[in-house]
Amino acid sequence: MKRKIITTSDGSKTIQIEDWNEQYHSIHGAIQEANHVFLKHGLLFFNAEFDSASIEHASKSEPISILEIGFGTGLNAFLTLIEAEKLNLKLHYTGVEAYPVQLEEINQLNYVELISKSHEAVFNTLHSTSWETPHDITPDFKLEKQEKFFKDITAVNAYNIIYFDAFGARVQPDLWTEDIFKIMYNALQDNGILVTYSAKGSVRRAMQAVGFIVERLPGPPGKREMLRALKKSS
């Protein structure tokens, strides 16, 4: 399918699949969407809840474990790494992607320029490291990229947070079904959360059907709502 680099409303670039009229990130602002959905309502929410002792964890020294559904351009991982540095957090980050983005496309993105020029080498390392093997990107950020379909994820009780950033249900409805969310539910630890930009009623009902407690939250620019789902401890 034909792909091109486009500029979103906040000046950050993303990849558009022209045949689908679908983008890797919101046309209303790639960086704004990532910060709002995945950082604010994902990582920062989980960390705040943990600090308030409402989320039980074996040890404060244990890394927070994140699964990203759709590693894509690496934007979410890049922002998460930088935020974790600010908060002095240790992270294990797993990015799943069936069709890895090509380096020539990555090189046309402007995330380093807009987010942190001092992290240029880190951004490049996120993309240059090999797949299927954990790598220490920094002393406190371990990355494992897995090239597979989401339906093939077999992890159980492995993650604290899931960034669900698949292509939209309009173009890939099979990624937003009860079957997929059951895999996500199983992959999360108790009191783990899943965050996504989607707010479709069918998505919310699929999440609830497999056991998630789901809340609607204000969405990023250009979108009224988003969803956050909790796997409550049994």
Side-chain angles (χ1 to χ4, degrees):
M1 287 182 285
K2 190 175 180 184
R3 301 150 65 94
K4 68 177 181 180
I5 307 297
I6 65 168
T7 301
T8 69
S9 294
D10 65 1
S12 56
K13 296 182 183 294
T14 192
I15 300 170
Q16 181 182 63
I17 299 178
E18 294 186 82
D19 293 347
W20 288 354
N21 190 29
E22 181 79 356
Q23 293 73 227
Y24 275 70
H25 307 286
S26 171
I27 61 172
H28 301 286
I31 292 174
Q32 288 182 142
E33 177 192 49
N35 274 320
H36 181 89
V37 176
F38 303 110
L39 275 292
K40 179 180 178 180
H41 291 300
L43 176 66
L44 297 180
F45 170 81
F46 181 87
N47 189 56
E49 290 293 291
F50 177 62
D51 280 345
S52 69
S54 62
I55 289 179
E56 296 179 1
H57 207 251
S59 167
K60 182 66 176 176
S61 64
E62 284 190 14
I64 295 173
S65 185
I66 298 177
L67 171 65
E68 182 179 11
I69 299 300
F71 184 76
T73 65
L75 173 59
N76 297 331
F78 187 48
L79 289 169
T80 298
L81 182 152
I82 293 171
E83 191 63 33
E85 283 185 351
K86 296 175 185 175
L87 298 172
N88 196 29
L89 298 176
K90 294 181 181 294
L91 296 185
H92 284 184
Y93 196 103
T94 302
V96 176
E97 178 64 56
Y99 302 102
V101 175
Q102 299 301 305
L103 281 177
E104 53 265 32
E105 294 174 308
I106 295 299
N107 291 336
Q108 296 178 63
L109 303 174
N110 60 350
Y111 302 149
V112 167
E113 176 185 345
L114 296 180
I115 297 168
S116 175
K117 291 183 180 179
S118 65
H119 285 82
E120 181 174 7
V122 167
F123 181 76
N124 292 337
T125 301
L126 290 173
H127 290 285
S128 63
T129 53
S130 59
W131 291 70
E132 319 305 336
T133 302
H135 295 276
D136 291 320
I137 306 300
T138 72
D140 293 327
F141 189 95
K142 186 183 294 289
L143 172 68
E144 181 177 351
K145 298 182 293 186
Q146 299 178 357
E147 187 175 347
K148 63 171 66 170
F149 294 108
F150 305 148
K151 66 180 178 62
D152 295 327
I153 294 170
T154 58
V156 176
N157 298 327
Y159 303 103
N160 302 116
I161 305 168
I162 294 177
Y163 293 171
F164 199 89
D165 199 15
F167 285 127
R170 177 181 63 85
V171 297
Q172 289 198 310
D174 55 311
L175 302 183
W176 301 84
T177 62
E178 287 185 28
D179 287 344
I180 291 294
F181 287 118
K182 185 62 175 177
I183 293 170
M184 301 299 108
Y185 188 88
N186 291 339
L188 277 174
Q189 297 180 18
D190 286 349
N191 293 314
I193 60 169
L194 179 153
V195 284
T196 184
Y197 63 85
S198 177
K200 286 176 66 70
S202 59
V203 172
R204 177 176 52 83
R205 290 189 293 272
M207 291 177 176
Q208 290 171 328
V210 304
F212 280 116
I213 297 171
V214 185
E215 59 181 323
R216 294 188 183 94
L217 299 169
K223 195 165 182 61
R224 188 166 62 89
E225 292 181 324
M226 57 165 281
L227 297 176
R228 182 169 61 213
L230 168 69
K231 178 180 179 178
K232 195 167 179 62
S233 58
S234 52

